[in-house]
Amino acid sequence: MGSIPRKAGMERSDLLNVNGGIFKPQGRAIAEHAASDVRVLVVGNPCNTNCLIARSNAPEVPADRWFAMTRLDQNRAVAQLAKSAGVPVTDVKNVAIWGNHSATQYPDFANSTIRGVATTEVITDHEWLAGEFITTVQKRGAAIIEARGLSSAASAASAAIDTVASLVRATPSDDCASIAVTSNGEYGVPEGLTFGFPIVADGAGSWKVKEGFELNGFANERIKITTDELLGEREEVRSLGLI
């Protein structure tokens, strides 16, 4: 969590420059001093690329031990879908957040369910799903900053707890957890990026990217946008000598 927080008016490039100087030595400190079974969850933004910086500077720690937090976005997406459908949040399942924890992320409504039924069948306003729903989730962090003058606090802390719980508990077959992990090429995502995926855990310490998500042209277009942003961030921090 030890990043410089985003303030009103700050661009993500500003955060990359400042936080790169934090996460590079943090990665080395983890490699040299952390327990041999360490797991690392990066919360401080821009968390995907901060995680990439730290991981790249700690090659001794296996890549599958590193995580960045997109669960906050999942919780926001679930809340929006539940409100629209008039159901408790516990009735909304299988909501994935693809890509970056930023305004380019893709909150995937098409593969989610509400009370076991496809969300697109329960919520018939597909224009809202493909428009306002996505932008509300994407821009929620900025809206909170505008309202508070600071980034979210309690909701982020709750999402961090949810992330850890999702990694250590077995995932129900009809659900997933949204966590950014190191890509191994799943769903065509370039290898090595810290990328938001739907994740399932076995409850015994192992996890994997959930298979079987159907991605149509609209989804693939959105995922390309967030992938390109992460590739651009990777090149920027590489040019700065941070990875």
Side-chain angles (χ1 to χ4, degrees):
M1 295 182 286
S3 67
I4 298 297
R6 183 180 176 188
K7 303 288 182 63
M10 285 186 71
E11 299 293 336
R12 289 182 70 83
S13 57
D14 298 328
L15 286 180
L16 287 173
N17 286 320
V18 174
N19 286 310
I22 296 172
F23 282 83
K24 182 173 182 177
Q26 281 190 348
R28 285 311 311 149
I30 288 169
E32 293 169 5
H33 302 289
S36 60
D37 62 347
V38 65
R39 267 68 173 171
V40 184
L41 170 63
V42 177
V43 174
N45 284 320
C47 64
N48 294 58
T49 298
N50 283 344
C51 184
L52 170 67
I53 293 168
R55 170 170 57 84
S56 298
N57 286 280
E60 302 91 332
V61 180
D64 63 1
R65 305 276 189 85
W66 297 85
F67 310 92
M69 195 169 78
T70 51
R71 180 56 181 264
L72 179 56
D73 306 303
Q74 177 188 353
N75 290 350
R76 290 167 173 167
V78 167
Q80 289 290 319
L81 296 174
K83 181 180 179 181
S84 179
V87 302
V89 293
T90 51
D91 287 345
V92 181
K93 307 287 186 184
N94 218 43
V95 176
I97 303 295
W98 299 88
N100 204 1
H101 174 62
S102 77
T104 68
Q105 64 180 267
Y106 172 52
D108 185 353
F109 59 86
N111 286 286
S112 65
T113 62
I114 299 174
R115 293 183 173 173
V117 179
T119 293
T120 51
E121 295 181 21
V122 177
I123 301 175
T124 57
D125 187 350
H126 294 177
E127 184 176 343
W128 176 81
L129 285 171
E132 186 180 346
F133 162 70
I134 291 175
T135 57
T136 298
V137 177
Q138 289 175 332
K139 298 178 180 179
R140 182 60 180 164
I144 291 171
I145 291 171
E146 182 177 352
R148 297 184 66 236
L150 297 168
S151 57
S152 55
S155 58
S158 178
I161 294 170
D162 291 340
T163 302
V164 175
S166 295
L167 288 168
V168 300
R169 297 173 182 166
T171 309
S173 60
D174 63 346
D175 209 355
C176 68
S178 292
I179 307 173
V181 299
T182 305
S183 171
N184 291 309
E186 298 93 343
Y187 292 96
V189 174
E191 293 187 21
L193 289 181
T194 301
F195 196 90
F197 284 110
I199 300 297
V200 291
D202 64 4
S206 296
W207 61 267
K208 64 179 181 179
V209 174
K210 187 171 184 177
E211 299 176 347
F213 273 65
E214 296 182 4
L215 301 173
N216 60 17
F218 176 81
N220 281 316
E221 179 182 332
R222 294 302 180 112
I223 290 172
K224 182 181 186 303
I225 292 170
T226 196
T227 300
D228 287 346
E229 180 180 57
L230 283 169
L231 287 170
E233 290 185 6
R234 182 168 70 178
E235 289 309 305
E236 185 169 353
V237 296
R238 182 174 286 153
S239 70
L240 295 169
L242 297 171
I243 63 173

